[in-house]
Amino acid sequence: MSMTAPLHIAGAPRAGHGSAFERRNPSDVRDVVAAGHAASADDVAAAVDAAASAVPGWRRAPGRAALLHAWGDAIAARSEELAQLIAREVGKPIGEARGEVGRAVVICRYYAGEAVREIGEVIPAGSPETTQFTLRDPLGPVALITPWNFPLAIPLWKAAPALAFGNTVILKPSEMAPAVAAVLAETSVAAGLPAGVFNVVQGAGETGAALVAHDGVRGISFTGSAAVGARIQAEGARRNVRTQAEMGGKNVVIVLPDADLDLAARLTAAGAFRFAGQKCTATSRAVVHHEVMAPFLERLAEATRGLPHGPVTDPGAAIGPLVSAAALERVQGALASPPPVAFEHPVPAGEPWSHGHWCAPVAYRIEDPAHPVARDELFAPVLAVLEAGTLDEAIGLANDTRYGLSASLFTRDLVAAFRYVREIEVGLVRVNGDTTGVDPHAPFGGLKGSSSGSREQGRAAREFYTDIRTIQIHA
Ligand code: NAD
């Protein structure tokens, strides 16, 4: 059943005045999930005006914590509906979609707590008559530009801290997830958020560009591809507006000879192929010590065969489709002259598979680390397997990328683990774990080309969403 996905401005739904859109289920394109009209430039301006008008009443509102708790409750009350919508709209297997909704509720609760924690420090002053302290103030209206792959959790892990610290929000969700954003807006009303505090403008890149260029926007938090992130950062710099960008990854596991190979294979298969590898933290490279290459690959192939393909609303599904026909075409193009295949996990033939953008999980043996499969973020169930002879060589290969988001080392050797922790150039460093997943109360972000600006989530979010002022009182 298709729903209308309107804009949400000043506390109420509103039809957009831009071009018409339609969103179809990527696992079965006969299913139309949502339709609507994108925001025009005037609609974007109206949303920014609504957010600016709401700032004075919200920036010091005492009830922010209770309202964020209520928002979590409102999301929890519609959790199954939201999970089904996530599954149908972006092709996320229903088990993971349910997990995402649960995480969204936790994010609201966590930032409800943050809303009542201390917002400054007392600092010794140069004279005995002076009391010196800091205060943290909100930036004002902030623009949140989000990708499609976590259509509920990413908007919330930006919006909840923004609101907790007294900012107001204009969310520009992905054009591939308008329905989830529309329901999120409805839950903000059910929770009792004041009008104008949380606004949504639907649309694609053009709408996002109009939003970040608007003079009323005082902060920009972006998650998405490196190319768009670079453009948004340039716009933020032009206007001297605080900007944060979380971008792509080329995440890696290293497997040493003493590793628990069953564990390494199970977690590599999960990290590389669940949700068809469409997570910024998905494993897309495995650097394996030559002594264990054969047994590791054998176990990895077996673990991968244990991950069922969709349909996405089937509770057993682990591997969904790619999000769009364009994504499938892009991946097929990148694999036009493929390296040797280590193994493949074919998608079943016939109904209903012929109606979706399905892409078979595949692992390639890569000799040349400069091969595009080992270099580029494909955002697909594609794993580049490289061989190393020593820990140093493995870390060198792992660091040989423009990205730096997530990595994991599989070993039982404490010395090797500490060496790797010191040398690996990523923001999320794991030992004997999955490259994916993160606790919402821990800082999240990468190094090098993966991130720019301060970290998201946990207490780290306060750095982005507040300005510090230093106060001196002489008395
Ligand atoms: P994308 O960059 O294509 O789009 C992201 C958002 O930017 C969308 O809302 C899009 O409409 C908007 N946009 C596009 N052009 C714009 C412009 N010129 N001005 C303003 N906004 C514009 O990314 P995507 O395909 O939605 O998501 C996949 C990418 O996101 C991958 O690269 C993935 O690694 C990354 N990602 C990163 C993280 C992280 O936290 N590091 C998390 C999830 C996804």
Side-chain angles (χ1 to χ4, degrees):
M1 201 182 57
S2 170
M3 66 174 270
T4 305
L7 321 183
H8 183 75
I9 297 177
R14 187 188 286 196
H17 296 87
S19 50
F21 63 77
E22 187 184 73
R23 179 66 195 150
R24 289 170 182 261
N25 179 340
S27 76
D28 186 339
V29 293
R30 295 168 297 182
D31 175 21
V32 180
V33 182
H37 283 82
S40 64
D42 285 348
D43 293 327
V44 169
V48 178
D49 287 349
S53 305
V55 168
W58 182 251
R59 67 195 304 265
R60 298 206 196 285
R64 291 204 299 261
L67 286 166
L68 283 167
H69 271 300
W71 204 7
D73 292 345
I75 292 167
R78 296 179 71 175
S79 54
E80 186 54 23
E81 177 193 350
L82 273 162
Q84 294 286 340
L85 211 46
I86 292 171
R88 284 173 58 222
E89 191 159 55
V90 303
K92 181 172 288 192
I94 187 69
E96 288 201 46
R98 289 184 179 126
E100 182 175 344
V101 179
R103 182 168 164 186
V105 174
V106 170
I107 289 168
C108 289
R109 304 229 153 103
Y110 176 84
Y111 285 107
E114 281 294 276
V116 288
R117 255 185 270 285
E118 73 282 358
I119 54 163
E121 293 173 323
V122 178
I123 299 165
S127 106
E129 289 81 32
T130 304
T131 305
Q132 177 163 258
F133 59 97
T134 59
L135 277 182
R136 283 179 181 271
D137 292 311
L139 307 180
V142 294
L144 311 181
I145 312 268
T146 53
W148 54 268
N149 63 338
F150 288 86
L152 186 65
I154 293 183
L156 267 173
W157 86 45
K158 295 178 187 297
L163 297 181
F165 298 120
N167 304 277
T168 59
V169 163
I170 311 102
L171 168 68
K172 207 301 282 172
S174 169
E175 61 274 31
M176 286 184 270
V180 173
V183 174
L184 180 62
E186 288 174 14
T187 60
S188 76
V189 174
L193 286 182
V197 155
F198 179 74
N199 305 277
V200 177
V201 288
Q202 306 278 9
E206 202 182 322
T207 308
L211 178 59
V212 299
H214 194 292
D215 277 343
V217 166
R218 299 310 315 151
I220 304 167
S221 180
F222 166 81
T223 298
S225 62
V228 176
R231 291 175 69 170
I232 286 182
Q233 288 179 80
E235 181 58 28
R238 188 184 70 77
R239 294 205 297 111
N240 193 28
V241 167
R242 188 172 305 166
T243 303
Q244 149 186 88
E246 281 299 333
M247 298 168 283
K250 194 69 190 172
N251 310 299
V252 64
V253 295
I254 299 175
V255 184
L256 294 186
D258 70 329
D260 175 339
L261 289 185
D262 288 326
L263 177 78
R266 184 165 54 77
L267 295 187
T268 303
F273 302 131
R274 280 187 175 275
F275 188 26
Q278 299 170 108
K279 298 174 189 168
C280 56
T281 50
T283 310
S284 52
R285 296 180 298 150
V287 178
V288 184
H289 194 280
H290 68 83
E291 282 174 22
V292 287
M293 180 62 90
F296 173 73
L297 281 180
E298 203 176 293
R299 286 168 172 79
L300 185 62
E302 195 185 321
T304 305
R305 282 191 293 272
L307 295 175
H309 291 282
V312 284
T313 47
D314 180 336
I319 303 172
L322 294 188
V323 71
S324 64
L328 184 58
E329 223 169 87
R330 182 178 47 74
V331 174
Q332 285 166 342
L335 303 177
S337 42
V341 172
F343 65 83
E344 218 170 344
H345 178 36
V347 179
E351 295 273 339
W353 313 98
S354 53
H355 299 290
H357 313 304
W358 297 93
C359 178
V362 57
Y364 293 112
R365 284 295 302 271
I366 308 277
E367 300 285 333
D368 175 8
H371 194 287
V373 169
R375 276 284 147 110
D376 301 336
E377 186 193 46
L378 297 177
F379 228 52
V382 178
L383 181 71
V385 182
L386 299 117
E387 189 170 289
T390 63
L391 175 63
D392 284 343
E393 193 190 342
I395 293 174
L397 284 168
N399 285 340
D400 184 15
T401 166
R402 76 184 84 108
Y403 295 110
L405 188 54
S406 183
S408 185
L409 172 73
F410 288 92
T411 187
R412 294 176 170 108
D413 177 343
L414 193 63
V415 174
F418 271 85
R419 275 260 295 291
Y420 147 90
V421 167
R422 213 168 46 226
E423 305 290 335
I424 193 79
E425 296 167 353
V426 297
L428 305 170
V429 183
R430 277 87 198 265
V431 175
N432 296 326
D434 193 335
T435 61
T436 64
V438 64
D439 283 330
H441 50 273
F444 179 86
L447 306 182
K448 302 190 328 197
S450 287
S451 298
S452 175
S454 51
R455 291 281 176 267
E456 297 203 89
Q457 304 205 61
R459 298 224 78 193
R462 196 169 74 145
E463 299 308 318
F464 183 76
Y465 290 106
T466 58
D467 271 327
I468 298 182
R469 289 189 299 148
T470 309
I471 323 290
Q472 286 187 345
I473 296 182
H474 307 285

Coordinates of all heavy atoms in Angstrom, one line a residue, residues 185-257:
A185 N 8.1 12.4 11.3 CA 7.5 13.7 11.6 C 6.2 13.6 12.3 O 5.9 14.3 13.3 CB 7.3 14.5 10.3
E186 N 5.4 12.6 12.0 CA 4.1 12.3 12.7 C 4.4 12.0 14.1 O 3.7 12.4 15.0 CB 3.4 11.2 12.0 CG 2.8 11.6 10.6 CD 2.1 10.4 9.9 OE1 1.9 9.3 10.5 OE2 1.9 10.5 8.7
T187 N 5.5 11.2 14.4 CA 5.8 10.8 15.8 C 6.2 12.1 16.6 O 6.0 12.1 17.8 CB 6.8 9.7 15.9 OG1 8.1 10.2 15.3 CG2 6.4 8.4 15.3
S188 N 6.8 13.0 15.9 CA 7.2 14.3 16.6 C 6.0 15.0 17.1 O 6.0 15.6 18.2 CB 8.2 15.1 15.8 OG 7.4 15.8 14.8
V189 N 5.0 15.0 16.3 CA 3.7 15.7 16.7 C 3.1 14.9 17.8 O 2.6 15.5 18.8 CB 2.7 15.8 15.5 CG1 1.4 16.3 15.9 CG2 3.4 16.6 14.3
A190 N 3.0 13.6 17.7 CA 2.4 12.8 18.8 C 3.1 13.0 20.1 O 2.5 12.9 21.2 CB 2.4 11.3 18.4
A191 N 4.4 13.2 20.0 CA 5.2 13.4 21.2 C 5.0 14.8 21.9 O 5.4 15.0 23.0 CB 6.7 13.2 20.9
G192 N 4.4 15.7 21.1 CA 4.2 17.0 21.6 C 5.3 18.0 21.4 O 5.3 19.1 22.0
L193 N 6.2 17.7 20.4 CA 7.3 18.7 20.1 C 6.6 20.0 19.6 O 5.7 19.9 18.8 CB 8.2 18.2 19.1 CG 9.2 17.1 19.5 CD1 10.1 16.8 18.3 CD2 10.1 17.5 20.6
P194 N 7.0 21.1 20.1 CA 6.4 22.4 19.7 C 6.5 22.6 18.2 O 7.5 22.2 17.6 CB 7.2 23.5 20.4 CG 7.8 22.8 21.6 CD 8.1 21.4 21.1
A195 N 5.6 23.3 17.6 CA 5.6 23.5 16.1 C 6.9 24.3 15.7 O 7.3 25.2 16.4 CB 4.4 24.4 15.7
G196 N 7.5 23.8 14.6 CA 8.7 24.5 14.1 C 10.0 24.0 14.6 O 11.1 24.3 14.1
V197 N 10.0 23.2 15.7 CA 11.2 22.6 16.3 C 11.8 21.6 15.4 O 13.0 21.5 15.3 CB 10.8 22.1 17.7 CG1 11.8 21.1 18.2 CG2 10.8 23.3 18.7
F198 N 11.0 20.8 14.8 CA 11.4 19.7 13.9 C 10.7 19.8 12.6 O 9.5 19.6 12.5 CB 11.2 18.3 14.5 CG 11.6 17.2 13.7 CD1 13.0 16.9 13.5 CD2 10.7 16.4 13.0 CE1 13.4 15.8 12.7 CE2 11.1 15.3 12.2 CZ 12.4 15.0 12.1
N199 N 11.4 20.1 11.5 CA 10.8 20.2 10.2 C 11.4 19.3 9.2 O 12.6 18.9 9.4 CB 11.0 21.7 9.7 CG 10.5 22.7 10.7 OD1 9.4 23.0 10.7 ND2 11.4 23.2 11.5
V200 N 10.6 18.9 8.2 CA 11.2 18.0 7.2 C 10.9 18.5 5.8 O 9.8 18.9 5.5 CB 10.5 16.6 7.3 CG1 11.0 15.6 6.1 CG2 10.7 15.9 8.6
V201 N 12.0 18.6 5.0 CA 11.8 19.0 3.5 C 12.2 17.8 2.7 O 13.3 17.3 2.8 CB 12.6 20.2 3.1 CG1 11.9 21.5 3.8 CG2 14.0 20.2 3.5
Q202 N 11.2 17.3 1.9 CA 11.5 16.1 1.1 C 12.1 16.6 -0.2 O 11.9 17.7 -0.7 CB 10.2 15.4 0.7 CG 9.3 15.0 1.9 CD 9.8 13.7 2.5 OE1 10.8 13.1 2.2 NE2 9.0 13.1 3.4
G203 N 12.9 15.7 -0.8 CA 13.5 16.0 -2.1 C 14.9 15.4 -2.3 O 15.4 14.8 -1.3
A204 N 15.5 15.6 -3.4 CA 16.8 15.1 -3.7 C 17.9 16.1 -3.5 O 17.8 17.1 -2.7 CB 16.8 14.5 -5.1
G205 N 19.0 16.0 -4.2 CA 20.2 16.9 -4.0 C 19.9 18.4 -4.2 O 20.4 19.2 -3.4
E206 N 19.0 18.7 -5.1 CA 18.6 20.1 -5.3 C 18.0 20.7 -4.1 O 18.4 21.9 -3.7 CB 17.6 20.1 -6.5 CG 17.5 21.4 -7.2 CD 16.4 21.4 -8.3 OE1 16.3 20.3 -8.9 OE2 15.7 22.4 -8.4
T207 N 17.1 20.0 -3.4 CA 16.5 20.5 -2.2 C 17.6 20.6 -1.1 O 17.6 21.6 -0.3 CB 15.5 19.5 -1.7 OG1 14.6 19.2 -2.8 CG2 14.7 20.0 -0.5
G208 N 18.5 19.6 -1.0 CA 19.6 19.7 0.0 C 20.5 20.9 -0.3 O 20.9 21.6 0.7
A209 N 20.8 21.2 -1.5 CA 21.7 22.3 -1.9 C 21.0 23.6 -1.5 O 21.6 24.5 -1.0 CB 22.0 22.2 -3.4
A210 N 19.7 23.7 -1.7 CA 19.0 25.0 -1.4 C 19.0 25.1 0.1 O 19.1 26.3 0.6 CB 17.5 24.9 -1.9
L211 N 18.8 24.0 0.9 CA 18.8 24.1 2.3 C 20.2 24.6 2.9 O 20.2 25.5 3.7 CB 18.4 22.8 2.9 CG 18.4 22.7 4.4 CD1 17.4 23.7 5.0 CD2 18.0 21.2 4.9
V212 N 21.2 23.9 2.5 CA 22.5 24.3 3.1 C 23.0 25.7 2.7 O 23.8 26.3 3.3 CB 23.7 23.3 2.8 CG1 23.3 21.9 3.3 CG2 24.0 23.1 1.3
A213 N 22.4 26.2 1.5 CA 22.8 27.6 1.1 C 22.0 28.6 1.8 O 22.3 29.8 1.6 CB 22.7 27.7 -0.4
H214 N 20.9 28.3 2.5 CA 20.0 29.3 3.1 C 20.7 30.0 4.3 O 21.3 29.3 5.2 CB 18.8 28.6 3.6 CG 17.7 29.5 3.9 ND1 17.7 30.4 4.9 CD2 16.5 29.8 3.2 CE1 16.6 31.1 4.9 NE2 15.9 30.8 3.9
D215 N 20.7 31.3 4.3 CA 21.4 32.1 5.3 C 20.9 31.8 6.7 O 21.6 32.1 7.6 CB 21.1 33.6 5.0 CG 22.1 34.1 4.0 OD1 23.1 33.4 3.7 OD2 21.9 35.2 3.4
G216 N 19.6 31.4 6.8 CA 19.1 31.1 8.2 C 19.7 29.9 8.9 O 19.5 29.7 10.1
V217 N 20.3 29.0 8.1 CA 20.9 27.7 8.7 C 22.2 28.0 9.3 O 23.1 28.5 8.8 CB 21.0 26.7 7.5 CG1 21.8 25.5 8.0 CG2 19.7 26.3 7.0
R218 N 22.3 27.6 10.6 CA 23.5 28.0 11.4 C 24.4 26.8 11.7 O 25.4 26.9 12.3 CB 23.1 28.6 12.8 CG 22.3 29.9 12.7 CD 23.0 30.9 11.7 NE 24.4 31.1 11.9 CZ 25.2 31.5 10.9 NH1 24.8 31.7 9.7 NH2 26.5 31.6 11.2
G219 N 24.0 25.6 11.2 CA 24.9 24.4 11.3 C 24.4 23.4 10.3 O 23.2 23.4 10.0
I220 N 25.4 22.6 9.8 CA 25.0 21.6 8.8 C 25.6 20.3 9.2 O 26.8 20.2 9.4 CB 25.6 21.9 7.4 CG1 25.1 23.3 7.0 CG2 25.2 20.9 6.4 CD1 25.9 23.9 5.8
S221 N 24.8 19.2 9.4 CA 25.3 17.9 9.7 C 24.9 17.0 8.6 O 23.7 16.8 8.3 CB 24.8 17.4 11.0 OG 25.3 16.1 11.3
F222 N 25.9 16.4 7.9 CA 25.7 15.6 6.7 C 26.2 14.2 6.9 O 27.3 14.0 7.5 CB 26.4 16.3 5.5 CG 26.6 15.4 4.3 CD1 25.5 15.2 3.4 CD2 27.7 14.6 4.1 CE1 25.6 14.4 2.3 CE2 27.8 13.8 3.0 CZ 26.8 13.7 2.1
T223 N 25.5 13.2 6.4 CA 26.0 11.9 6.3 C 25.7 11.4 4.9 O 24.5 11.5 4.4 CB 25.4 10.9 7.3 OG1 25.8 11.3 8.6 CG2 25.9 9.5 7.1
G224 N 26.7 10.9 4.2 CA 26.4 10.4 2.8 C 27.8 10.1 2.1 O 28.8 9.9 2.8
S225 N 27.7 10.3 0.8 CA 28.9 9.9 0.0 C 30.0 11.0 0.1 O 29.7 12.2 0.5 CB 28.5 9.8 -1.4 OG 28.0 11.0 -1.9
A226 N 31.2 10.6 -0.2 CA 32.4 11.6 -0.1 C 32.2 12.7 -1.1 O 32.5 13.9 -0.7 CB 33.7 10.8 -0.3
A227 N 31.7 12.4 -2.2 CA 31.6 13.5 -3.3 C 30.6 14.6 -2.8 O 30.9 15.8 -2.9 CB 31.1 12.9 -4.6
V228 N 29.4 14.2 -2.3 CA 28.4 15.2 -1.8 C 29.0 15.9 -0.6 O 28.8 17.1 -0.4 CB 27.1 14.5 -1.6 CG1 26.1 15.5 -1.0 CG2 26.5 14.0 -2.9
G229 N 29.6 15.1 0.3 CA 30.2 15.7 1.5 C 31.1 16.8 1.2 O 31.2 17.8 1.9
A230 N 32.0 16.6 0.2 CA 32.9 17.7 -0.2 C 32.2 18.9 -0.6 O 32.6 20.0 -0.2 CB 33.9 17.1 -1.3
R231 N 31.1 18.8 -1.4 CA 30.4 20.0 -1.8 C 29.8 20.7 -0.7 O 29.7 21.9 -0.6 CB 29.3 19.6 -2.8 CG 29.9 19.1 -4.1 CD 28.8 18.5 -5.0 NE 28.0 19.6 -5.6 CZ 27.1 19.4 -6.5 NH1 27.0 18.2 -7.1 NH2 26.4 20.4 -7.0
I232 N 29.2 19.9 0.3 CA 28.5 20.5 1.4 C 29.5 21.2 2.3 O 29.2 22.3 2.8 CB 27.7 19.5 2.1 CG1 26.5 19.2 1.2 CG2 27.3 19.9 3.5 CD1 25.5 18.2 1.8
Q233 N 30.7 20.6 2.5 CA 31.7 21.3 3.3 C 32.2 22.6 2.7 O 32.4 23.6 3.4 CB 32.9 20.4 3.5 CG 32.5 19.2 4.5 CD 33.7 18.3 4.6 OE1 34.6 18.6 5.4 NE2 33.8 17.2 3.9
A234 N 32.3 22.6 1.3 CA 32.7 23.9 0.7 C 31.6 24.9 0.9 O 32.0 26.1 1.2 CB 32.8 23.6 -0.8
E235 N 30.3 24.6 0.9 CA 29.3 25.5 1.1 C 29.3 26.0 2.5 O 29.2 27.2 2.8 CB 27.9 24.9 0.8 CG 26.7 25.7 0.9 CD 26.7 27.0 0.1 OE1 27.4 27.0 -1.0 OE2 26.2 28.0 0.5
G236 N 29.5 25.1 3.5 CA 29.6 25.5 4.9 C 30.8 26.5 5.1 O 30.6 27.5 5.8
A237 N 31.9 26.2 4.5 CA 33.1 27.1 4.6 C 32.8 28.4 4.0 O 33.1 29.5 4.6 CB 34.3 26.4 4.0
R238 N 32.1 28.4 2.9 CA 31.8 29.7 2.2 C 31.0 30.6 3.1 O 31.3 31.8 3.2 CB 31.0 29.4 0.9 CG 30.8 30.6 0.0 CD 30.0 30.3 -1.2 NE 28.6 30.1 -0.9 CZ 27.7 31.0 -0.6 NH1 28.0 32.3 -0.5 NH2 26.4 30.7 -0.3
R239 N 30.1 30.0 3.8 CA 29.2 30.9 4.7 C 29.7 30.9 6.2 O 29.0 31.4 7.0 CB 27.8 30.3 4.6 CG 27.1 30.5 3.3 CD 25.6 30.5 3.4 NE 25.0 29.3 3.9 CZ 24.4 29.2 5.1 NH1 24.4 30.2 5.9 NH2 23.9 28.1 5.5
N240 N 30.8 30.3 6.5 CA 31.3 30.1 7.8 C 30.3 29.6 8.8 O 30.0 30.1 9.8 CB 31.9 31.5 8.3 CG 32.7 31.3 9.6 OD1 33.2 30.2 9.8 ND2 32.7 32.3 10.5
V241 N 29.7 28.5 8.3 CA 28.7 27.8 9.1 C 29.3 26.4 9.6 O 29.9 25.7 8.8 CB 27.4 27.5 8.3 CG1 26.5 26.5 9.0 CG2 26.7 28.8 8.1
R242 N 29.1 26.1 10.8 CA 29.7 24.9 11.3 C 29.2 23.7 10.5 O 28.0 23.5 10.4 CB 29.5 24.7 12.8 CG 30.2 23.5 13.4 CD 30.1 23.4 14.9 NE 30.5 24.6 15.5 CZ 30.2 24.9 16.8 NH1 29.6 24.1 17.5 NH2 30.6 26.1 17.3
T243 N 30.1 22.8 10.1 CA 29.7 21.7 9.2 C 30.4 20.4 9.6 O 31.5 20.5 10.0 CB 30.0 22.0 7.7 OG1 29.4 23.3 7.3 CG2 29.6 21.0 6.8
Q244 N 29.6 19.4 9.6 CA 30.1 18.1 10.0 C 29.8 17.1 8.8 O 28.6 17.2 8.3 CB 29.5 17.7 11.3 CG 29.2 16.3 11.6 CD 28.5 16.2 12.9 OE1 27.2 16.2 12.9 NE2 29.1 16.0 14.1
A245 N 30.7 16.3 8.4 CA 30.4 15.3 7.3 C 30.9 13.9 7.7 O 32.1 13.8 8.0 CB 31.1 15.8 6.0
E246 N 30.0 13.0 7.7 CA 30.3 11.6 7.8 C 30.2 10.9 6.5 O 29.1 11.0 5.9 CB 29.4 10.9 8.8 CG 29.7 11.2 10.3 CD 31.0 10.7 10.7 OE1 31.5 9.8 10.1 OE2 31.6 11.3 11.6
M247 N 31.2 10.3 6.0 CA 31.2 9.9 4.6 C 31.5 8.4 4.5 O 31.1 7.6 5.4 CB 32.1 10.8 3.8 CG 31.6 12.2 3.8 SD 32.8 13.4 3.2 CE 33.9 13.6 4.5
G248 N 32.1 8.0 3.4 CA 32.2 6.6 3.1 C 33.3 5.8 3.9 O 34.0 6.4 4.7
G249 N 33.5 4.6 3.5 CA 34.5 3.7 4.1 C 34.9 2.6 3.2 O 34.3 2.4 2.1
K250 N 36.1 2.1 3.5 CA 36.6 0.9 2.7 C 37.1 0.0 3.9 O 38.4 -0.1 4.0 CB 37.7 1.3 1.7 CG 37.9 0.2 0.7 CD 36.8 -0.1 -0.3 CE 37.1 -1.4 -1.1 NZ 35.9 -1.8 -1.9
N251 N 36.2 -0.5 4.6 CA 36.5 -1.1 5.9 C 37.2 -2.5 5.8 O 36.9 -3.2 4.8 CB 35.3 -1.1 6.8 CG 34.6 0.2 6.8 OD1 35.2 1.2 7.2 ND2 33.4 0.3 6.2
V252 N 38.0 -2.8 6.7 CA 38.9 -4.0 6.5 C 38.9 -4.9 7.7 O 38.8 -4.4 8.9 CB 40.3 -3.4 6.2 CG1 40.9 -2.6 7.4 CG2 41.2 -4.5 5.8
V253 N 39.0 -6.2 7.5 CA 39.4 -7.1 8.6 C 40.8 -7.7 8.2 O 41.1 -7.9 7.1 CB 38.4 -8.3 8.7 CG1 37.0 -7.8 9.2 CG2 38.3 -9.1 7.5
I254 N 41.5 -7.9 9.3 CA 42.8 -8.6 9.2 C 42.7 -9.9 9.9 O 42.3 -9.9 11.0 CB 44.0 -7.7 9.8 CG1 44.1 -6.4 9.1 CG2 45.3 -8.5 9.7 CD1 45.1 -5.4 9.7
V255 N 43.2 -11.0 9.2 CA 43.1 -12.3 9.9 C 44.5 -12.9 10.0 O 45.2 -13.1 9.0 CB 42.2 -13.2 9.0 CG1 42.0 -14.6 9.7 CG2 40.8 -12.6 8.7
L256 N 44.9 -13.0 11.3 CA 46.2 -13.6 11.5 C 46.2 -15.1 11.7 O 45.1 -15.7 12.0 CB 46.8 -12.9 12.8 CG 47.1 -11.4 12.6 CD1 47.8 -10.8 13.9 CD2 47.9 -11.1 11.4
P257 N 47.4 -15.8 11.6 CA 47.3 -17.2 11.7 C 46.8 -17.8 13.0 O 46.2 -18.9 13.0 CB 48.8 -17.6 11.6 CG 49.5 -16.5 10.9 CD 48.7 -15.2 11.3

